[in-house]
Amino acid sequence: MITEETVLHVAKLARLELTPEETHRYAQELSKILHLVDELADLDLSSSTLELVPEHPTLFREDKQTWNFDRQDLLSNTPEEENGFFRVPKILDEGN
Amino acid sequence: MNEQSQEGALALHQRIQAGELSALEVLDNTFATIEKLDPQIEAFNCLTKDFAYKTAEEVDKAIKAGQRLPLLAGVPLALKDNIHLKGVKTTCSSKILENYVAPFNATVTNKLCEHMIPVVGKTNLDEFAMGSSTENSAFRKTKNPWDLSRVPGGSSGGSAAAVASGQTFISLGSDTGGSVRQPAALCGTVGLKPTYGLVSRYGLVAFASSLDQISPFASNVQDIAAVLQVISGADPLDSTSLQNVPPMDYLASLDKPIEGLKVGYITELLEAGLQPDTKAAIESAMKTFESLGAKVEPVSLPNLRYAIASYYIIATAEASSNLARYDGVRYGSRLNADKDILQMYLSTRAQGFGDEVKRRIMLGTFSLSSGYYEAYYGKAQKVRQLITNDFKNAFNQFDLLLGPTSPTTAFKIGEKSSDPVEMYLSDIATIPVNLAGIPAISIPCGFDQQHLPIGLQLIGPHLSEAVLLQAASAFESKTSLKNLHPQTLASV
Amino acid sequence: MAGALTTQTQYETVIGLEVHVQLKTQTKLFCACSTQFGVEQNQNTCPICLGMPGVLPVLNRQAVEYGILAGLALNCGIALITKFDRKQYFYPDLPKGYQISQYDLPVCHDGYLEIMGQKIRILRAHLEEDAGKLVHAGAAGLAGSTHSLVDLNRAGVPLLEIVSQPDMRSSEQARLYAETLRNIVRYLGVCDGNLEEGSMRVEANVSIRPLGSETYGTKTELKNMNSFRSIQKAIDYEVARQTELIDSGERVIQESRLWNEATGTTASMRSKEEAHDYRYFPDPDLRPLEISPEWVERIRQAMPELPLQRLNRLQEEFGLSEYDASVLVELKELGDFFDEAVEHTSHYKALTNWLMGDITAYLKNNHKNLEDTRLTPKNLALMVQMVDSNQISSAIAKKILPDLIETGTAPDMLVKEKGLIQNSDESQIQQICQQVIVENAEEVAAFRSGKEKLFGFFVGQVMKASRGTANPEVVNRLMRELLKG
């Protein structure tokens, strides 16, 4: 069962702000969906391991600069730009 | 009604090549039809007249110069609004991308350009391709051309409706759990999901990376073979695209007899939950195959019942990750830019994403989160392998597998949208195919009592598109269920 | 806490280092953008490294090769199958909202680095993409800033993260480990190893525990150490801080701490948020990578000489002292230069002295690197030969050195141009000496009456008169004779 507390925690991880109504509703809906998934609990898969044999060879790229994009084109969808930088509101934590 | 719609894309292309029609004329007709029909159908998010006419000009110039045209040149096509056309908005029918202009072409779009195929517009979809009815679009609800009070299916509802209503002959959608096959079935068109990796995903806005495939719609099997021919091929920009596929001529696979073809009907799909008309149509289809010389026998895929659970864990996990980039920093909508960045993230994503998208992001985030990974994501991947093996085993005995594409025909708008689980369960026939990465085609096989189309699904092993097309073509010839368009629209 | 303890607990320091090494590829890890330094913000970007909708990563083969090469040099096992995983968190310098990294199947594992005869074990080395850079506006740093600016030129640049086991027991060891690692990656040619510029970044996990204890204490993670010296200082500070905490009965909190060079302290980075849940899962856009033993072997065969190998070779082949050899190893450009110069002369010791002495001093004073100058190994060798064969004195050699360095003109040409060929003609020198004696009668008298120190003056005068070309050994001999009276 998914509690509202779990919903809030997950929403935080996913950077989604929820209203109290949404929190309540999602808790119910997600619980219902996970009920589907509970079927998987019947399966004993402890002995099976995932084969990690690559069926197809890795696609590589040669170490050459093959393209050049115009910065203006790339920045044309930017909500807020400053001198070719992406501008963001103040950051509160040091991050990683 | 578009007069051209009786013919089909390839036939139209041949008429253009022969100089009977100009590409310009064809476009004029197409846009006239769209103008007449789309206000009710709402298949399109936007039209791309400039681009289309420029392409048509190129075609007509080439004809005048006596050149041989590439395959399908001059035939108008509708593009799902999650596939990039440079310089035009790709909105994914989401508020968070409502003003996003694509800075580059998808690889498939480049192929369309090389073939001088005019893209006439971007079609509506369930937001970020998440849904089975196109009701989750942030902008509009596309109607099923066969009954405007019903859904066209989803997530590629717009592309399906555009073809079904005769607005365009061909269109492209994307299929992650059935998002092309199911709308094809509900709209009476053909829809084909290629083997995973046969068509490049570069330039398709990702929903679930290990499941997504760009997939074509058409009114008949020959046309779908032609579109597949155009869009398939290795791409150095997509690490998951198949690199060493021998060149195929899909059109050459058609009209070959299927005597001796071994077809297995999936018993699990013919059990409970199937609408009676649908069941009857499928059983009739099986008889048709037998009359064509194929051997039809039952086959069981014992782990099929776990497919939906496995899919919804894997797809939402990948989606939650793929959608993390929509944060308002570098592109897209941005809210609360005057506060701090955390608030910006929270508001931008909360307001920019619709309900279904948020639901799936949370489910996916949950499945990957600390303490739950093994129980959910880890297990779902193992189940996926079981299902893949079920198919492999089945293909040891059979050339193709058969079943309904959708358990029901088109439902009413609003009928299932309040219960996400009910919506998910309707994908039972299509989802396992994406999990296994194998190809499948949906073709019309009849109508129900309300004259709503029913779709038959044929599934083949890895890279068996030629066999699928061969079988579909034989079936189509026998039943003449092709180029189906609702008569009710003709009077509009 | 007065009087509570009669003896002070002895603590042992436990250190592990995580080093991020920026790989010197031409292009980024997953897209064809240039990695070139020093361009304007966001000039080296494309839809892929900007994380735009609809893009996909494609792996740079050279980055993998560099990773394997480094792993081999660090005695690691190379994975037969490796894969990439998404590490998920939100931060404005991370365009996709996840970093493509490696979680449970890193490309290299279980290696070691030898320092001071001891093996420091390396747990793993894995490939990952770098994040972008942030510039904070309105304040000196993050705190108090009004907004920030994001530059994604660096986003997507390939990194190799090398993680050691907590085998180090002193800040000095840690520093040495970092320096040795830096030398290795420079010798391999996979990284510039420049801490100040950020092509190599070091984080230290530091904890203390009572001497003899088997369990680990709580560790803190130190960041922002931008020189080898600051690595050592930061660890020393942190050890002292943790010691004081534990001695006063408090606990060490597991957290990240930033080293502040100006204040010489570490400060907690702890934000109000909880620890990250990275939700790692295999990146579905990339297939698992199979690394064949043949490929690894080809890379191993092509491995350039490593610092330790050069150290031994310089001593064995050229008879250099351990100290001299170690300097040439440390300053790789000098070592490279030496290797070329020895093709033109066998005066190894002399070469070494010039390189380590006057040439290094010159470069330092003029803020230049060897590669910025026009000094060639051949020319240096030639000059050394000329001194050895008495064509010029070492004093003259020192005189022409700046020109040798700046103009690249051959030493014999320089000497000719300036008329500085050493003069060993005894009769000529005799004449000059006599002249000097005649002109400095007072000093001569003073010398003869006991002022021995004046000898240098006379020699100096002869050198001056001969514009430095007189053979000093001859001058000394003849002058002594003449001054005897």
Side-chain angles (χ1 to χ4, degrees):
Chain A
M1 275 305 119
I2 304 256
T3 61
E4 288 188 28
E5 203 188 323
T6 306
V7 169
L8 284 173
H9 172 71
V10 170
K12 196 169 169 190
L13 283 177
R15 296 297 185 269
L16 292 171
E17 189 168 53
L18 301 179
T19 64
E21 181 271 326
E22 282 171 325
T23 309
H24 180 72
R25 182 163 51 85
Y26 284 136
Q28 293 186 320
E29 287 170 352
L30 291 178
S31 294
K32 215 170 162 193
I33 298 169
L34 281 177
H35 207 56
L36 268 183
V37 180
D38 284 344
E39 294 226 338
L40 294 184
D42 299 340
L43 287 170
D44 175 21
L45 296 166
S46 49
S47 55
S48 73
T49 47
L50 279 175
E51 313 159 8
L52 201 61
V53 180
E55 288 165 23
H56 309 281
T58 295
L59 179 63
F60 282 115
R61 214 174 31 79
E62 293 314 309
D63 192 25
K64 283 198 199 89
Q65 186 186 354
T66 54
W67 63 20
N68 225 310
F69 277 82
D70 186 63
R71 187 176 72 181
Q72 267 324 107
D73 282 345
L74 295 176
L75 260 53
S76 59
N77 280 304
T78 307
E80 274 182 81
E81 188 223 315
E82 195 176 297
N83 284 332
F85 285 99
F86 300 101
R87 183 188 156 128
V88 295
K90 63 174 179 277
I91 301 167
L92 297 177
D93 72 280
E94 296 281 353
N96 213 31
Chain B
M1 191 88 222
N2 189 349
E3 291 145 18
Q4 294 159 187
S5 68
Q6 295 311 308
E7 315 172 354
L10 206 54
L12 181 65
H13 165 72
Q14 281 153 5
R15 287 182 66 190
I16 295 172
Q17 175 75 81
E20 288 171 36
L21 284 174
S22 72
L24 209 68
E25 273 179 79
V26 170
L27 260 195
D28 285 340
N29 271 330
T30 301
F31 283 120
T33 308
I34 293 175
E35 207 175 322
K36 200 163 76 164
L37 296 179
D38 208 50
Q40 295 159 82
I41 310 254
E42 294 190 271
F44 286 94
N45 278 348
C46 76
L47 297 179
T48 52
K49 286 191 176 170
D50 288 345
F51 177 80
Y53 277 109
K54 228 169 84 189
T55 311
E57 267 170 46
E58 277 174 42
V59 174
D60 288 337
K61 220 164 105 185
I63 293 290
K64 275 211 178 73
Q67 286 168 15
R68 181 116 198 95
L69 294 174
L71 184 59
L72 289 180
V75 179
L77 176 148
L79 197 62
K80 186 175 181 181
D81 203 9
N82 62 352
I83 301 173
H84 288 327
L85 171 57
K86 183 175 176 177
V88 171
K89 287 193 207 160
T90 301
T91 69
C92 300
S93 286
S94 174
K95 294 216 297 256
I96 217 168
L97 286 180
E98 65 184 328
N99 292 310
Y100 180 78
V101 175
F104 61 94
N105 270 342
T107 297
V108 298
T109 309
N110 280 333
K111 288 179 190 285
L112 297 176
C113 291
E114 283 161 31
H115 283 80
M116 295 196 273
I117 295 172
V119 173
V120 297
K122 308 297 291 297
T123 57
N124 194 22
L125 58 150
D126 279 302
E127 187 181 358
F128 280 106
M130 300 184 190
S132 309
S133 65
T134 311
E135 290 170 291
N136 294 326
S137 163
F139 304 137
R140 54 189 58 80
K141 289 185 174 29
T142 302
K143 323 291 189 300
N144 190 319
W146 296 87
D147 178 339
L148 299 176
S149 69
R150 292 177 187 267
V151 303
S155 60
S156 313
S159 283
V163 169
S165 59
Q167 293 183 64
T168 63
F169 280 113
I170 48 179
S171 65
L172 291 184
S174 66
D175 190 313
T176 305
S179 290
V180 160
R181 289 162 289 150
Q182 184 251 30
L186 268 51
C187 288
T189 73
V190 183
L192 181 143
K193 186 202 84 70
T195 305
Y196 181 80
L198 185 61
V199 176
S200 166
R201 288 187 299 119
Y202 189 79
L204 166 69
V205 179
F207 156 17
S209 317
S210 72
L211 300 161
D212 293 342
Q213 271 296 272
I214 293 178
S215 306
F217 287 97
S219 316
N220 59 67
V221 176
Q222 186 184 53
D223 286 351
I224 216 138
V227 181
L228 184 64
Q229 191 73 37
V230 169
I231 62 173
S232 54
D235 186 8
L237 291 173
D238 178 354
S239 298
T240 59
S241 93
L242 297 171
Q243 294 300 314
N244 294 311
V245 181
M248 294 289 299
D249 181 354
Y250 295 113
L251 287 166
S253 338
L254 312 175
D255 297 326
K256 282 199 204 143
I258 54 169
E259 186 86 34
L261 191 75
K262 290 178 284 186
V263 179
Y265 72 86
I266 303 169
T267 51
E268 284 82 6
L269 292 180
L270 289 178
E271 285 162 6
L274 210 54
Q275 192 178 305
D277 290 351
T278 302
K279 190 162 184 203
I282 301 300
E283 285 166 347
S284 167
M286 293 197 281
K287 294 213 175 63
T288 306
F289 272 107
E290 282 176 333
S291 75
L292 287 166
K295 279 204 170 80
V296 183
E297 279 165 21
V299 69
S300 166
L301 300 177
N303 291 295
L304 209 71
R305 47 189 283 244
Y306 303 116
I308 292 184
S310 170
Y311 170 85
Y312 274 99
I313 297 295
I314 295 172
T316 59
E318 294 180 3
S320 71
S321 179
N322 286 329
L323 269 60
R325 67 191 64 195
Y326 303 107
D327 56 12
V329 171
R330 290 141 291 123
Y331 49 80
S333 316
R334 174 191 283 203
L335 289 174
N336 272 333
D338 51 339
K339 299 240 163 55
D340 57 72
I341 198 158
L342 178 61
Q343 198 51 55
M344 186 188 96
Y345 283 154
L346 294 171
S347 312
T348 297
R349 290 164 64 79
Q351 310 288 348
F353 291 135
D355 232 28
E356 182 63 32
V357 171
K358 282 192 278 200
R359 211 176 353 254
R360 294 195 192 198
I361 289 176
M362 287 200 288
L363 182 58
T365 305
F366 175 77
S367 316
L368 292 174
S369 65
S370 170
Y372 295 105
Y373 181 94
E374 261 319 307
Y376 291 102
Y377 189 79
K379 209 156 202 183
Q381 287 286 31
K382 289 181 183 172
V383 170
R384 180 178 190 169
Q385 197 137 283
L386 290 179
I387 292 168
T388 305
N389 290 340
D390 277 1
F391 276 113
K392 280 202 179 117
N393 290 336
F395 288 125
N396 281 334
Q397 285 184 276
F398 296 96
D399 299 309
L400 295 180
L401 301 180
L402 171 158
T405 308
S406 166
T408 66
T409 52
F411 43 92
K412 293 260 186 204
I413 293 171
E415 185 182 321
K416 292 194 183 180
S417 52
S418 54
D419 186 349
V421 175
E422 215 195 313
M423 193 76 85
Y424 297 165
L425 289 173
S426 61
D427 294 328
I428 183 61
T430 49
I431 273 175
V433 171
N434 299 81
L435 286 173
I438 51 183
I441 189 170
S442 177
I443 48 179
C445 68
F447 291 87
D448 74 359
Q449 304 213 339
Q450 285 148 306
H451 204 60
L452 297 168
I454 299 172
L456 170 74
Q457 184 178 214
L458 296 172
I459 305 167
H462 194 74
L463 289 178
S464 62
E465 282 78 1
V467 181
L468 281 175
L469 289 166
Q470 183 184 349
S473 156
F475 181 85
E476 186 190 69
S477 296
K478 192 73 190 269
T479 61
S480 297
L481 286 169
K482 62 190 218 177
N483 300 331
L484 304 172
H485 302 287
Q487 287 307 325
T488 46
L489 285 180
S491 55
V492 168
Chain C
M1 280 239 13
L5 300 165
T6 48
T7 53
Q8 271 215 303
T9 323
Q10 288 278 61
Y11 295 109
E12 175 180 58
T13 305
V14 174
I15 304 163
L17 290 190
E18 271 171 36
V19 181
H20 284 87
V21 151
Q22 219 172 62
L23 299 177
K24 266 169 81 165
T25 52
Q26 301 288 332
T27 59
K28 296 185 177 183
L29 187 53
F30 294 112
C31 67
C33 282
S34 164
T35 53
Q36 195 190 9
F37 196 71
V39 300
E40 268 205 8
Q41 51 275 16
N42 292 311
Q43 290 288 15
N44 285 344
T45 60
C46 73
I48 298 176
C49 52
L50 288 180
M52 291 184 139
V55 297
L56 296 170
V58 182
L59 184 57
N60 181 337
R61 184 204 304 268
Q62 184 67 268
V64 179
E65 290 222 351
Y66 282 167
I68 294 172
L69 187 61
L72 289 174
L74 295 172
N75 307 294
C76 294
I78 306 296
L80 287 171
I81 298 188
T82 184
K83 66 174 172 57
F84 289 93
D85 303 285
R86 295 187 182 178
K87 178 179 181 181
Q88 310 189 78
Y89 61 95
F90 284 85
Y91 206 63
D93 66 0
L94 193 67
K96 297 187 289 293
Y98 60 85
Q99 175 195 36
I100 302 180
S101 175
Q102 297 193 289
Y103 183 51
D104 55 330
L105 280 183
V107 56
C108 314
H109 62 91
D110 298 310
Y112 62 85
L113 185 63
E114 227 174 288
I115 52 172
M116 286 156 36
Q118 190 195 338
K119 284 190 180 149
I120 305 294
R121 294 169 303 163
I122 287 173
L123 179 63
R124 53 184 278 154
H126 72 257
L127 292 166
E128 60 183 28
E129 50 177 0
D130 208 346
K133 280 202 179 132
L134 295 173
V135 178
H136 304 299
L142 184 60
S145 59
T146 53
H147 60 277
S148 297
L149 303 172
V150 187
D151 172 18
L152 295 174
N153 281 341
R154 205 184 61 177
V157 167
L159 298 176
L160 187 69
E161 180 178 331
I162 304 167
V163 182
S164 83
Q165 298 270 22
D167 287 352
M168 286 162 270
R169 295 288 174 268
S170 72
S171 61
E172 197 205 339
Q173 261 194 336
R175 176 185 179 155
L176 202 53
Y177 173 94
E179 286 172 337
T180 309
L181 187 57
R182 187 267 235 127
N183 280 345
I184 290 176
V185 299
R186 289 187 67 220
Y187 272 67
L188 291 175
V190 306
C191 174
D192 287 333
N194 192 322
L195 281 183
E196 286 84 5
E197 278 178 11
S199 60
M200 182 167 144
R201 294 164 229 164
V202 176
E203 285 168 14
N205 289 316
V206 181
S207 66
I208 61 175
R209 61 185 178 187
L211 208 50
S213 164
E214 293 278 304
T215 53
Y216 290 119
T218 309
K219 64 176 182 199
T220 59
E221 188 181 47
L222 304 184
K223 301 184 182 201
N224 200 38
M225 301 163 298
N226 298 326
S227 70
F228 293 109
R229 226 173 113 245
S230 59
I231 294 173
Q232 193 165 352
K233 277 168 42 179
I235 293 174
D236 286 338
Y237 173 86
E238 184 60 17
V239 167
R241 187 189 75 88
Q242 288 190 12
T243 305
E244 203 186 307
L245 270 180
I246 296 186
D247 277 347
S248 35
E250 291 179 47
R251 295 165 141 234
V252 173
I253 300 168
Q254 179 161 343
E255 60 186 355
S256 294
R257 298 180 69 86
L258 279 182
W259 168 249
N260 186 324
E261 186 69 38
T263 61
T265 61
T266 63
S268 173
M269 274 173 76
R270 209 180 350 142
S271 62
K272 296 188 192 93
E273 299 210 24
E274 308 129 19
H276 289 285
D277 177 358
Y278 292 122
R279 289 163 278 133
Y280 283 99
F281 77 105
D283 193 322
D285 289 330
L286 294 164
R287 300 200 188 269
L289 169 59
E290 223 170 340
I291 301 177
S292 71
E294 292 79 30
W295 188 16
V296 174
E297 197 49 39
R298 275 202 305 275
I299 295 173
R300 190 198 301 274
Q301 296 290 349
M303 189 173 327
E305 183 183 49
L306 293 178
L308 204 57
Q309 292 166 328
R310 178 171 277 186
L311 186 70
N312 293 334
R313 180 173 64 83
L314 290 178
Q315 291 173 77
E316 284 162 18
E317 204 175 316
F318 302 107
L320 299 187
S321 69
E322 193 182 341
Y323 175 74
D324 285 357
S326 69
V327 174
L328 289 184
V329 163
E330 179 68 26
L331 305 173
K332 182 168 185 286
E333 301 81 23
L334 296 191
D336 292 340
F337 197 92
F338 177 87
D339 266 343
E340 282 190 67
V342 297
E343 291 180 23
H344 305 283
T345 179
S346 51
H347 297 287
Y348 311 130
K349 180 71 180 141
L351 274 178
T352 312
N353 289 342
W354 280 107
L355 284 169
M356 283 166 47
D358 287 66
I359 292 175
T360 297
Y362 181 90
L363 295 176
K364 199 165 167 199
N365 293 336
N366 292 282
H367 306 292
K368 286 190 178 182
N369 289 321
L370 193 55
E371 66 202 3
D372 301 328
T373 71
R374 305 180 78 161
L375 182 65
T376 66
K378 192 167 177 202
N379 281 347
L380 181 61
L382 218 59
M383 191 179 85
V384 161
Q385 298 276 84
M386 287 173 75
V387 171
D388 180 75
S389 60
N390 275 325
Q391 278 183 277
I392 54 172
S393 67
S394 55
I396 295 291
K398 281 190 207 245
K399 215 170 175 175
I400 62 168
L401 186 65
D403 281 310
L404 202 69
I405 293 177
E406 296 295 351
T407 67
T409 314
D412 49 349
M413 288 298 305
L414 280 176
V415 161
K416 243 188 224 134
E417 277 171 28
K418 297 175 189 266
L420 293 173
I421 295 204
Q422 185 161 266
N423 187 353
S424 302
D425 185 325
E426 306 233 352
S427 56
Q428 278 188 33
I429 294 177
Q430 180 85 350
Q431 262 191 319
I432 301 174
C433 288
Q434 280 166 339
Q435 186 75 14
V436 164
I437 286 179
V438 160
E439 288 170 2
N440 297 285
E442 264 187 50
E443 284 79 1
V444 172
F447 178 83
R448 285 183 178 151
S449 63
K451 287 218 169 120
E452 292 281 326
K453 285 197 185 146
L454 280 175
F455 185 75
F457 166 76
F458 295 113
V459 171
Q461 290 298 101
V462 173
M463 297 309 278
K464 200 164 143 199
S466 71
R467 282 172 42 253
T469 60
N471 185 330
E473 189 238 344
V474 174
V475 171
N476 272 316
R477 190 173 19 93
L478 294 181
M479 201 43 122
R480 278 250 177 244
E481 280 294 325
L482 284 176
L483 284 172
K484 272 194 193 142

